[in-house]
């Protein structure tokens, strides 16, 4: 299990494999049912390589995996990017219940740099499908009126696509 792994590379591989598997399952469901929603951070884990491996050889191997993923896993019909201010992001991470991601400094030393790298990666990426970006700061998805902000934007984007 990911909780017991100590090497950063194990974490990268865990999340990459999980994302790829979920993406493949979503493609199968899409073929059978039309639209499918997939909840993953990103199908390509390229922006996270430097955080999970400092060895240049390992990094080159991981970049190769990302290149294969980019060439073989099709893009979705729509991407939804939930953003938030740092305080909201930290609160959400701490509420995740994942004990291996807890601790006073874990968010600031591990997750905040990952968040910054992801933001930089996405800002420079040429998107091949519509993208909805929603600032999650101040939204509580347990409240129907807050969740409706997201579903209204999804409905509008899908109506155009």
């Amino acid at each position: 299990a990911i909780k017991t792994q100590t090497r950063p590379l194990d974490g990268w591989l865990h999340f990459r494999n999980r994302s790829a598997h979920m993406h493949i399952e979503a493609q199968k469901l899409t073929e059978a049912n039309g639209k499918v929603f997939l909840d993953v951070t990103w199908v390509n884990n390229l922006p996270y390589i430097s955080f999970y491996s400092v060895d240049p050889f390992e990094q080159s191997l991981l970049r190769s995996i990302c290149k294969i993923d980019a060439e073989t896993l099709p893009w979705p019909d729509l991407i939804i990017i939930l953003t938030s201010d740092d305080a909201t992001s930290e609160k959400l991470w701490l509420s995740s219940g994942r004990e291996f991601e807890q601790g006073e400094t874990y968010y600031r030393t591990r997750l905040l740099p990952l968040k910054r790298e992801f933001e930089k990666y996405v800002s420079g990426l040429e998107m091949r499908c519509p993208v909805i970006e929603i600032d999650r700061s101040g939204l509580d998805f347990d409240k129907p009126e807050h969740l409706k902000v997201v579903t209204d934007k999804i409905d509008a984007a899908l109506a155009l696509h």
Side-chain angles (χ1 to χ4, degrees), residues 32-125:
N33 302 310
K35 301 282 183 208
V36 172
F37 290 88
L38 176 63
D39 179 15
V40 295
T41 302
W42 191 252
V43 115
N44 193 319
N45 288 286
L46 185 63
Y48 309 121
I49 290 173
S50 63
F51 289 94
Y52 286 100
S53 174
V54 293
D55 179 74
F57 178 70
E58 281 182 356
Q59 286 188 5
S60 70
L61 291 174
L62 298 179
R63 279 191 203 87
S64 294
I65 291 171
C66 289
K67 183 178 181 195
I68 291 168
D69 287 348
E71 292 171 357
T72 59
L73 297 174
W75 277 63
D77 294 323
L78 173 68
I79 294 174
I80 303 163
I81 299 175
L82 298 176
T83 62
S84 63
D85 58 49
D86 292 343
T88 300
S89 293
E90 184 173 17
K91 179 182 166 191
L92 292 168
W93 276 107
L94 291 173
S95 70
S96 73
R98 293 190 292 249
E99 291 177 18
F100 65 99
E101 291 182 340
Q102 303 296 316
E104 282 185 33
T105 62
Y106 190 83
Y107 177 80
R108 288 186 305 279
T109 61
R110 284 299 288 166
L111 299 179
L112 190 57
L114 286 170
K115 178 183 181 212
R116 297 282 185 263
E117 190 63 26
F118 177 78
E119 290 165 349
K120 186 173 108 181
Y121 172 73
V122 169
S123 71
L125 189 63

Side-chain angles (χ1 to χ4, degrees), residues 20-35:
H21 174 74
M22 290 173 65
H23 187 84
I24 291 166
E25 287 303 309
Q27 285 303 120
K28 290 176 187 174
L29 291 169
T30 299
E31 291 168 9
N33 302 310
K35 301 282 183 208

